[in-house]
Amino acid sequence: MKVIVVGGGPAGMMAAYWAAQSGGDVTLIEKNEKLGKKLFITGKGRCNLTNNCDKNILINNVVRNPRFLYKAFNAFMPQDSIDFIESFNTPLKTERGGRVFPVSDKSSDVIKAFKKALDKAKVNVITDCTLNRIVLNQNRISAIVANGNNIQCDKLVVACGGVSYPATGSTGEIFEIIKDLGHTVTPFFPALVPIELKDEFCSRLAGLSLKNVTLCCKTQKNIFREFGEMLFTHTGISGPITLTISSKINRDSVEEIYLDLKPALDMLTLEKRVLRDFEENKNKHFINAIGGLFPKSLIPVVVELSGIDPYKTVNSITKGERNVFVELIKKFPLSFKSLGSIKEGIITSGGVAVEEINPKTMESKLVNGLFFAGEMIDVDALTGGFNIQIALSTGYLAGINCAL
């Protein structure tokens, strides 16, 4: 059984290894000069390989088409990913939130483990090789054209990634080839990206990191809330909770976005806290009396938005002004402009329609012998190692089934 796998990311390398282990004569082609180019930059260069969690947590962290992945996750779980990489002399560790990294904190070590696996399985790897066309014979895969050369094959696994980070090779031309075969490719949306704001104060707050805050976003269909850490940039906001929110709102229209700066306190408790601070600083100017509530760089912005004279003494602030101030803390307004560019998204939302793929095998329902894996498919998840686990699980299923 001659198998060709297109794409040298985690999904493609996994598919190639398991296809070879299942008896296939496997060739892996990659358009870049080396394998794992996008994998190299994941986790800020540390490679968050997977998340050490159970299936329920996995599914709950998939934003798009989670039910499609039940079979893939059942077949290849995070512990299987950990065991696989560690079997090639790359020890892993589990950090906060179940995130799994190599002990060395070097993504290159994970890539080396994959290369060892491919060598062991005798996979023929060809780099600097671009897929030009897929050739069918009576609606069955018969060959591909790559770098202008016709290469015969019985089965084909396409694992070329999405359209984010195009510098790593995910430029999207493959989707036009897939469309020509009759497949539906759902529209692409940015996922796990920063959020751009209209607010002028962003440049003044750039670099400010806030912990233990809640980012709230109201769309036409839902209200999303995420608690944790975020970061102001020159053009908007980023950080973990921002990236999560971005993936949940990317297919809807945003109506309102704001921050709860003190989510641990309800309105009544917060009001008592503010009254206490005001009493302790009753003879100070307002701008100098609220240092216990906010980081230093945030204070001028909060004061400005409150509408209270910054040099008004605290003991002369009215109850109405105080109420406005307390409400501002619980609902610090942000003016949504747009999501960041899809090119800077950690992953792509959108891809080959799941309705046209067999979830038990990852084989196309339209073309015999054609399989998909990884970010090619219209599935995406939150940060924390979940997207690479999707790549590994779908790659595993595609690999073992394409060699049958």
Side-chain angles (χ1 to χ4, degrees), residues 373-387:
E375 204 176 342
M376 285 286 305
I377 305 168
D378 184 18
V379 289
D380 61 273
L382 303 179
T383 57
F386 302 105
N387 286 291

Side-chain angles (χ1 to χ4, degrees), residues 134-374:
I134 296 172
V135 181
L136 305 184
N137 182 9
Q138 296 183 339
N139 204 44
R140 177 177 291 276
I141 293 292
S142 64
I144 66 166
V145 178
N147 283 3
N149 299 312
N150 193 290
I151 307 172
Q152 301 297 312
C153 63
D154 302 299
K155 303 288 180 68
L156 174 66
V157 181
V158 183
C160 298
V163 295
S164 59
Y165 285 104
T168 63
S170 300
T171 50
E173 294 99 333
I174 184 65
F175 291 102
E176 295 305 315
I177 297 175
I178 298 303
K179 285 180 184 178
D180 288 343
L181 300 179
H183 268 286
T184 303
V185 176
T186 62
F188 297 122
F189 296 90
L192 302 178
V193 289
I195 293 175
E196 295 186 6
L197 302 174
K198 300 174 185 176
D199 304 287
E200 294 181 359
F201 58 71
C202 286
S203 59
R204 293 155 58 189
L205 297 177
L208 173 63
S209 178
L210 297 178
K211 296 181 179 180
N212 302 320
V213 297
T214 295
L215 179 61
C216 307
C217 187
K218 181 182 178 183
T219 69
Q220 288 182 338
K221 300 177 182 178
N222 291 292
I223 297 177
F224 299 103
R225 295 180 176 87
E226 290 296 327
F227 171 82
E229 185 175 349
M230 59 153 286
L231 173 74
F232 278 98
T233 69
H234 284 283
T235 57
I237 52 177
S238 188
I241 60 175
T242 305
L243 300 183
T244 295
I245 286 284
S246 75
S247 283
K248 293 183 176 182
I249 66 174
N250 61 9
R251 295 168 188 260
D252 204 351
S253 178
V254 175
E255 295 182 348
E256 184 180 23
I257 186 168
Y258 61 92
L259 279 171
D260 183 345
L261 297 170
K262 299 292 178 183
L265 306 178
D266 59 27
M267 289 289 286
L268 183 60
T269 306
L270 178 59
E271 186 174 10
K272 290 179 180 177
R273 163 70 191 277
V274 169
L275 278 170
R276 186 174 69 248
D277 282 17
F278 278 13
E279 179 61 28
E280 292 174 356
N281 298 279
K282 59 185 177 182
N283 294 317
K284 290 185 177 181
H285 292 145
F286 175 52
I287 196 169
N288 297 322
I290 56 176
L293 288 167
F294 313 106
K296 185 177 180 180
S297 59
L298 187 59
I299 292 174
V301 175
V302 171
V303 170
E304 183 179 317
L305 292 177
S306 75
I308 301 172
D309 183 346
Y311 298 105
K312 190 172 188 176
T313 55
V314 170
N315 59 11
S316 63
I317 291 176
T318 67
K319 181 179 179 180
E321 289 174 323
R322 189 180 71 243
N323 288 340
V324 169
F325 176 59
V326 171
E327 289 176 8
L328 176 63
I329 297 172
K330 295 295 288 181
K331 199 171 183 179
F332 182 87
L334 302 171
S335 298
F336 181 83
K337 180 180 179 182
S338 66
L339 295 179
S341 164
I342 195 168
K343 293 181 179 180
E344 59 182 323
I346 294 176
I347 47 96
T348 301
S349 180
V352 181
V354 297
E355 295 81 10
E356 299 170 359
I357 303 171
N358 184 339
K360 297 178 181 179
T361 63
M362 297 297 130
E363 185 174 13
S364 165
K365 293 179 180 179
L366 308 183
V367 178
N368 292 325
L370 173 63
F371 295 76
F372 299 102

Side-chain angles (χ1 to χ4, degrees), residues 53 56-64 380-383 386 390:
C53 65
N56 288 335
I57 294 176
L58 274 178
I59 292 294
N60 288 339
N61 278 274
V62 177
V63 178
R64 183 77 173 165
D380 61 273
L382 303 179
T383 57
F386 302 105
I390 290 174

